[in-house]
Amino acid sequence: MLAALKAEESSGQLQLVERDDVDEDEDLFEAIDKLIAQGINAGDVKKLQDAGIYTCNGLMMHTKKNLTGIKGLSEAKVDKICEAAEKIVNFGYITGSDMLLKRKSVVRITTGSQALDELLGGGIETLSITEAFGEFRSGKTQLAHTLCVSTQLPTSMRGGNGKVAYIDTEGTFRPDRIVPIAERFGLDPGAVLDNIIYARAYTYEHQYNLLLGLAAKMSEEPFRLLIVDSVIALFRVDFSGRGELAERQQRLAQMLSRLIKIAEEFNVAVYMTNQVIADPGGGMFVTDPKKPAGGHVLAHAATVRLMFRKGKGEQRICKVFDAPNLPEAEAISFTRFFPFYNHTFVSQNNSSS
């Protein structure tokens, strides 16, 4: 991905620069146009782009059943396209050493909180989904707003050197909250807001279509973060009762599958918030027990799960609920005001979550 920020000493602020003005790094994905050099008709490549497929990597993440559903692509054409894509990208086995090298491309984006960064091993990771769940006013959306800014910091400042896509399902995004956070990090608020693309989703279908439309933008511009706030809200509205539960979970699984494919295709971090529901089986010793909504489908899709809850006064507590490489731990954050301020690391256990 391209570095998209540089320091402007004259103004004392960091300013975003145009993509054309930045030296290109090694591409993390192969453009779908490269299929033409492998003998694929340009018209068929255009059909793939119209269906939201802009990279060979993304093409290999689709089943042949889905590809033959694209108007104008027969089974024979799909087979030829897939064979050509396999010559460009390797989707087979690699060694553990190669995987270790691939993991070096992971970018950890600061949360603005030293305690939270320590909790997460450096920040929110690209190539993965980070889920934050908790009751209302527990700090989930506040962290989303902070990440909108910190993602645009250069890597030397533990940022992501990239733009942000924000899908809002609850109507809680407030651009005026971005301004003081940007000023706190020494960024130009106008430039920061210009590098956030925002969409308000009203149905689960609308939400999914917005994800499909991101491929075109991410293949052309240096994005580093995708925020979905929240991932479950519209599913709880559009599906009701146990009679529609199976279909809801299937649609949710498709949505989550699309999110992880975006993360891996474009090396972006996905930060999604989630709601909580009452947990009758939470135990008699737990006050007001709650659990994240979405069931096992959502639990298995998220790479890192963070539980947010209210503390004393303005304190907000974040706990690593589940992660493949992080110990179970907690951190206190003060999140009532726009930027994160002072933070204290609370406790850490040796057990892995």
Side-chain angles (χ1 to χ4, degrees), residues 195-350:
N195 284 280
I196 301 170
I197 62 170
Y198 169 84
R200 174 75 162 95
Y202 294 96
T203 68
Y204 81 93
E205 293 172 331
H206 186 197
Q207 184 177 342
Y208 187 75
N209 289 334
L210 288 171
L211 291 178
L212 293 179
L214 274 178
K217 297 183 180 297
M218 289 188 171
S219 64
E220 297 174 354
E221 300 180 71
F223 281 84
R224 215 43 135 190
L225 176 68
L226 167 60
I227 295 173
V228 183
D229 184 20
S230 74
V231 69
I232 197 69
L234 298 177
F235 287 89
R236 299 180 76 179
V237 173
D238 296 339
F239 297 92
S240 58
R242 289 188 175 274
E244 295 183 340
L245 182 60
E247 183 184 0
R248 187 194 85 166
Q249 293 301 91
Q250 182 184 28
R251 300 295 184 187
L252 178 60
Q254 292 171 349
M255 179 92 61
L256 294 167
S257 175
R258 184 62 193 150
L259 286 173
I260 192 60
K261 288 173 181 176
I262 289 174
E264 295 186 4
E265 183 177 356
F266 299 106
N267 191 24
V268 301
V270 175
Y271 173 78
M272 63 182 188
T273 66
N274 189 14
Q275 300 172 348
V276 292
I277 56 177
D279 183 12
M284 59 181 297
F285 299 107
V286 180
T287 304
D288 194 20
K290 293 180 176 65
K291 62 181 180 180
H296 294 293
V297 167
L298 203 151
H300 289 298
T303 313
V304 177
R305 309 192 81 189
L306 304 176
M307 180 174 68
F308 281 68
R309 69 179 191 272
K310 300 171 186 175
K312 295 180 180 179
E314 301 304 331
Q315 290 183 356
R316 298 295 180 267
I317 300 172
C318 174
K319 178 180 180 180
V320 174
F321 191 76
D322 181 36
N325 61 333
L326 298 173
E328 182 177 321
E330 288 186 350
I332 288 182
S333 300
F334 299 89
T335 62
R336 178 174 176 81
F337 301 102
F338 296 136
F340 281 106
Y341 287 107
N342 245 347
H343 310 278
T344 307
F345 202 42
V346 177
S347 65
Q348 180 167 334
N349 302 325
N350 293 326

Side-chain angles (χ1 to χ4, degrees), residues 13 16 39 74 84-85 97 148 164 173 194 203 220 230 242 314:
Q13 289 183 318
L16 292 171
S74 63
S97 297
C148 282
V164 179
F173 178 73
D194 286 342
T203 68
E220 297 174 354
S230 74
R242 289 188 175 274
E314 301 304 331

